[in-house]
Amino acid sequence: MSTAERTAGRSAFAEYVSRHWRDWAITVAAFVLAMLIGAILMVVADPQVSANFAYLFTAPQLALGGAWAKVSSAYGALVVGAVGSPQALALTSSKAAPLICAGLGVGLAFRAGLFNIGAQGQAIWGALTAAYIGFTFELPYGLHLVLAVLGGMAAGAVWGGIVGWLKAKTGAHEVIVTIMMNYIASGMLAYLLTTAAFRRPGREDPISPEVHPTAALPSIFGQFHFGFILALAAAAGVWWLLERSTTGFSIRAVGANPNAASTAGMSVAATTTITMTCAGALAGLAGIQFALGPSANGAPVPLTLGLVGTVGFDAITVALLGRSRPVGIVLAGLLFGGLDAGGLAMQSVAQTPLTLTMVLQAVVVLFVAAPALVATILPFLKGRKLKPAAALTGGQA
Amino acid sequence: MPDQDTRGLQLRGITKKFGSFVANDAVDLDIRPGEIHCLLGENGAGKSTLMNVLYGLLQPDGGAIVVGGVEQHFANPRQAMAAGIGMVHQHFMLVEVFTVAENLILGREDGPVVDLRAARTKVDELSQRYNLPVDPDAVIEDLPVGVQQRVEILKALANDAEYLIFDEPTAVLTPQETDDLMAVMKKLRDDGKAIVFITHKLREVREIADRITVLRRGRIVGSAEPGTPENKLAELMVGRAVDLQITKPPAEVGDVRLRVEGLSVADPNGTVVVDDLDFEVRAGEILCVAGVQGNGQSELADALLGNNADVIAGAISLDGVDITHARPRETIAAGVGFVPEDRQHDGFIGSFTVAENLVLNRYRDRPFANGIALNLEAIAENATELVEQYDIRTESIQKLAGQLSGGNAQKLVLARELSRELALLVASQPTRGVDVGAIEFLHKRIVEERDTGAAVLIFSTELEEVEALADRVLVMYRGRSVGVVAPDTPREVLGLMMAGVPHDEAISGSSGSAGAEGERS
Amino acid sequence: MKKSLTITAALGALALAFAGCATPPPAATSSASATSSATASDFKACMVSDLGGFDDKSFNQTSHDGLVKAGTELGVQTAQVQSKAEADYAQNIKSMVDGKCNIIITVGFLLGDATQAAAKQYPDVKFAIVDYAYDKPESNLKGLVFNTGEPSFMAGYAAASLSQTGKVGTFGGAKIPSVTAFMTGYAQGVAYYNKAKGKDVKVLGWDDTKKDGSFIPGQNPFQDVAGGKQVANNLVSQGADILLPVAGSAGEGALQVAQASGGKVGSMWVDTDGCVSQAKYCAVIPTSVGKAMDVAVFQAIKDAKEGTFNNTPYVGTLSNAGVFLAPFHDWDSKVTAETKSELDKIKADIVAGTIKIA
């Protein structure tokens, strides 16, 4: 039966390529278009450079040269800052790791048809718990880290699982519940940081003690730390879960058609709860990256109100950009991590405002989220006309 | 000889390819005012592709469309509509939360102000003229399927369509609704409209076609006179002789397998939709539940599977084991095979591959899973086998099930359910929207399942199917059993029973003398 | 539709063509990037903001003004990085070290840990941090702190004298020392007024005995204008008619509430003179509690450039003009001459140490 297997394998690959090449092309095109728009914005936003466009025809070298110098130095800094050196790559990896984890949490939920807006709250719980274990207990190397990581993931899993359980039992919509749970999580964090258990002795502001080095994610090279390996492992785990496990089969089935899944004997309620629990654990892992990952000065950043930033919301973007596929999410996370790292270089080296890198990210997402828009701008990507539902389901093609 | 009437519409040498697949191969078609032109063909023969080309949804790779003597190129449906072409889709293109009148003016709003009053007037005017009663202010989602279809027809007529395409309009209709639609189509024809009627139901073709063109594998394989016998038409369609009436051996009835006692089921609103129902199905027999749609059949089927059914009284047992409140996973494990009424909605997952769909309710069992890991090889092997065995036409087992034609999707669902040992097969409308060749095959497989000793329960609104399959017929009306009769009970009697008239009255009420035997078991 | 688009595009192109026909001034043609490079020295001063950003119309912006001033007056090169997340602080400081900065000024106590770590790690670079003072600073690290309680005391006194309802209010962005210092001074100024005048003006939003009060909830309180508005509305609904929001950009919420009140409510501003930084609200701003961070930043850069930098914390006080009560602007007529002279006396007493704020 080996020939048959090989044929099946090859046809599966061919299926994949024929089904997805356009997605990839559009993603790349979206990126390029966003860079173009970013370039225009940079030129327009800089009064000195844009003023020279008054002389576009009389002294084009002024206008175009100025614009080129501006844009090339900014994008040059972006590229160098993201991938230009081992340090840059390390920074990119450390920026990408939490985005990948939280993106997986959102993406996994997406696959089950759940819109997990709650990665933020789940990440907060992950960070909070991991940091607490990290600065409170005195434990040997290894054990301390394992406990902190597992604790953080468990906290995220509980926070996500509550949402799944509520949805399964009461039908409460997960979007509303997760949004509220985010508020509760950040409120809890703010409260806990005022308590003796969390607040650093001698400080009045909400900041925790420093995490013991025994609980820090070990650095491999600068900021390229073990957390990135964890993120990749999580991505591989999610891929296996979705594509190779029975649980993933039911997650995908419930996401694609809950009626058919239920008719086939799958429990939509149980699947929802399991999915949200796993998603919460993944988002919790993102929080752990913030709490235990070494910063530029080698030590983890102590827990504060805004430690996890907006990772839960950026994760939605990452999941969207990665089309909720683990590989896509890793790539999207790296892209965003690179934009973050490179964006810093754009600021510090080329003195481009932070807001511009954020606009760049937003434009990338805009184009990626609306493939039809990119296809309209670049008609050669259009290919076969989208057929209406009647033609697809009616069957007589 | 086709005349050169410039009022007509001609398709000349239409060719449409999808990659290397030729869906339409140089198809010529002549559509004339005042005629019903039947386009007959199996699922996947290229009928819908051809009509989508005509309607501007697809662009042909070759050939020409000539309307009223002028060659036309339709880049989109809007242009086709402007040329007088209207389409009644199989899956309605209506906004479900809008009213009838609002749907009618959808996409035709002139200026910023929506003139609803004019739309209402138009609905009334058209529905009177063509005898299509519809309340202009009714919201679409509240209307029965048959009435929704009327709205689709009204929409086309409101666009002043001269050429009306009906894409398998009867697939979703009950027998009564089908008769109503036929009457409407005749009226439209007599009014001078040109009608293209796509179907694979031979009885309907014989009833109203003025001309018949048969399509097979993208080519026209012939035309037929309206009086052509059904088996002849079927042969043209399928390309070989077809048994329209399967010959099934008499049932060898064994012990009772399914027993339903005093069963009552409520719908989500709390209304009792299955009311104190008693029946049983024995090993080796087929019990058909006949009835007009919406008389509790769906809820009964759901209750048997244990899927989202609110059983408020009574008991269901399978082989003596109580399964009244069992969940689908348990009933499936107990040997219940289930073919849902709406296969798109409940039967398979469009974005899953054929292979995945073929193990949709067995993916946790050996050999498809080892522990929590899927065994992809076993899943692929199973798919390859079943695709072959059930003649599911697909390029690959990795193709998405949503891309299968209706008949092939139904084969997929039946293949999945019949490929394991069953104690009970529950199949709702097992051949709805499926073409003749496939119906024959599916019916045979169902009878074979019976002969392995399974109890078989079929829900059908099509009397032909009831006649073909049933060993006994249970007629359901408003959640209750009107009676259990023999399959050779005259149609009129069954029809009356389906309207709630008890068996005895139905016999005296109908002109034909009945051969019913009432209770048998 | 399509045609009109084409015409629009053509017109646009034409307009661009005309606009592009201007003749460049001769100076501009010589060098595409003609900045003040002639006077630029090799010395580089850099700044890292907290999450507020350099356009927060409050302390990041004021600090940045000091950097800009150093650029133009001292001819030093400048660079800045705006922080996007708290986890980025260390990285952002490092990027400025990598940018070969001679002095790096970090803005906000939130950068305290990261700045200290960096000072340890890079002893050759000078660091100064706004709003943070260390007990035992590194030799290359200078804290720039401001005794904002002093002008706040004056503001509280003025507020009490202006209140019609007998209630004044304050709220903070977060319960942190640099915020509560304002609230403490404000409340004590009101108490001083009550004692001097035998009145009973109440302070809402800060309980000086419990050292606790009203703060904007949420994760980014200093950027949350809507949150500030909500807290301000709460105070007003309880009767407060003069407010002191101590919440960075989010304080704008209080200005909005004051503006919507039709003259019933006034809201002060902090860090900068609100009539300058929030000019459109000037009519509702009685006065502002100023923190001359620009002066402190400028001075730190100047010292570093001239080699006189030391690690003794800078403390801005009324006496060295590092903090101040801004002019009354539009409210000048509402503040009685009596109050004005009392305020002058209070200022003198504070400088002299006869009034102590704790």
Side-chain angles (χ1 to χ4, degrees), chain C residues 46 67 80 101 105-106 195 198 247 267 318 336 339:
Chain C
C46 304
L67 180 73
Q80 68 268 324
C101 297
I105 292 141
T106 58
K195 209 170 129 198
S267 173
L318 283 173
T336 61
T339 305

Side-chain angles (χ1 to χ4, degrees), chain A residues 289-308:
Chain A
Q289 305 266 358
F290 286 106
L292 307 181
S295 72
N297 58 41
V301 181
L303 188 64
T304 52
L305 286 177
L307 180 62
V308 304

Side-chain angles (χ1 to χ4, degrees), chain B residues 263 303-304 306 309 311 313-318 321-327 331:
Chain B
L263 186 72
L304 292 172
V311 175
I316 306 166
S317 64
L318 184 62
V321 179
D322 181 77
I323 57 163
T324 316
H325 295 287
R327 290 172 302 159
T331 52

Side-chain angles (χ1 to χ4, degrees), chain A residues 54-58 62 91 95 120 124 186 200 203-206 223 295-297 302 304 306 340 344 347-348 351, chain C residues 17 19-25 79-82 84 86 88 90-92 95-96 109 113 117 121 132 175-176 219:
Chain A
Y55 322 125
L56 183 58
F57 297 99
T58 47
L62 250 190
L91 181 59
K95 294 272 181 194
Q120 182 73 14
I124 287 176
S186 63
R200 190 185 299 186
R203 287 284 285 263
E204 283 181 57
D205 52 309
Q223 278 171 275
S295 72
N297 58 41
T304 52
D340 260 4
L344 175 61
Q347 270 204 84
S348 63
Q351 291 291 300
Chain C
C21 286
T23 317
Q80 68 268 324
V81 166
Q82 185 173 327
K84 193 180 155 194
E86 286 177 19
D88 292 352
Q91 182 61 42
N92 292 355
S95 78
M96 293 281 80
F109 73 94
D113 279 12
Q121 203 174 348
Y132 201 94
K175 195 183 168 189
I176 51 177
Q219 250 195 74

Side-chain angles (χ1 to χ4, degrees), chain A residues 258-332:
Chain A
N259 295 304
S262 163
T263 304
M266 301 173 204
S267 165
V268 176
T271 306
T272 302
T273 311
I274 291 170
T275 308
M276 280 308 293
T277 305
C278 293
L282 288 162
L285 188 57
I288 292 164
Q289 305 266 358
F290 286 106
L292 307 181
S295 72
N297 58 41
V301 181
L303 188 64
T304 52
L305 286 177
L307 180 62
V308 304
T310 54
V311 70
F313 305 105
D314 299 340
I316 296 169
T317 316
V318 168
L320 207 64
L321 190 65
R323 307 231 187 274
S324 296
R325 278 13 188 214
V327 177
I329 288 170
V330 168
L331 294 176

Side-chain angles (χ1 to χ4, degrees), chain C residues 75-316:
Chain C
V76 301
Q77 297 174 40
T78 62
Q80 68 268 324
V81 166
Q82 185 173 327
S83 296
K84 193 180 155 194
E86 286 177 19
D88 292 352
Y89 291 149
Q91 182 61 42
N92 292 355
I93 294 169
K94 182 171 178 288
S95 78
M96 293 281 80
V97 172
D98 293 345
K100 309 249 182 302
C101 297
N102 301 83
I103 180 168
I104 297 169
I105 292 141
T106 58
V107 186
F109 73 94
L110 286 169
L111 285 89
D113 279 12
T115 308
Q116 186 169 32
K120 252 184 216 148
Q121 203 174 348
Y122 308 105
D124 298 340
V125 181
K126 305 274 185 282
F127 290 88
I129 176 165
V130 175
D131 263 358
Y132 201 94
Y134 301 92
D135 293 339
K136 290 178 194 138
E138 306 293 316
S139 63
N140 58 337
L141 173 58
K142 186 183 189 78
L144 310 175
V145 293
F146 301 86
N147 201 342
T148 49
E150 297 179 1
S152 298
F153 188 94
M154 294 169 69
Y157 192 91
S161 78
L162 286 166
S163 175
Q164 304 291 318
T165 59
K167 286 176 184 168
V168 299
T170 181
F171 64 90
K175 195 183 168 189
I176 51 177
S178 58
V179 166
T180 55
F182 283 91
M183 301 166 85
T184 304
Y186 183 74
Q188 291 180 6
V190 175
Y192 189 80
Y193 176 87
N194 288 341
K195 209 170 129 198
K197 302 276 175 183
K199 294 271 176 63
D200 186 25
V201 177
K202 295 254 184 326
V203 180
L204 305 178
W206 182 252
D207 182 331
D208 204 43
T209 47
K210 286 189 197 153
K211 298 282 177 204
D212 205 354
S214 300
F215 297 96
I216 300 173
Q219 250 195 74
N220 288 311
F222 290 95
Q223 283 81 54
D224 185 3
V225 176
K229 191 171 176 181
Q230 201 178 352
V231 178
N233 263 323
N234 275 341
L235 294 171
V236 169
S237 68
Q238 293 171 54
D241 63 349
I242 304 287
L243 303 177
L244 178 73
V246 194
S249 321
E252 188 176 345
L255 298 180
Q256 290 170 357
V257 169
Q259 198 160 56
S261 73
K264 290 198 194 75
V265 177
S267 173
M268 299 180 174
W269 192 245
V270 295
D271 293 349
T272 61
D273 184 347
C275 268
V276 178
S277 60
Q278 296 277 13
K280 66 175 170 168
Y281 295 105
C282 189
V284 300
I285 301 177
T287 182
S288 304
V289 180
K291 227 166 127 177
M293 290 164 287
D294 47 349
V295 177
V297 167
F298 179 82
Q299 193 59 44
I301 295 170
K302 192 162 179 246
D303 289 349
K305 183 171 183 257
E306 292 167 359
T308 53
F309 182 93
N310 62 43
N311 69 346
T312 316
Y314 165 90
V315 182

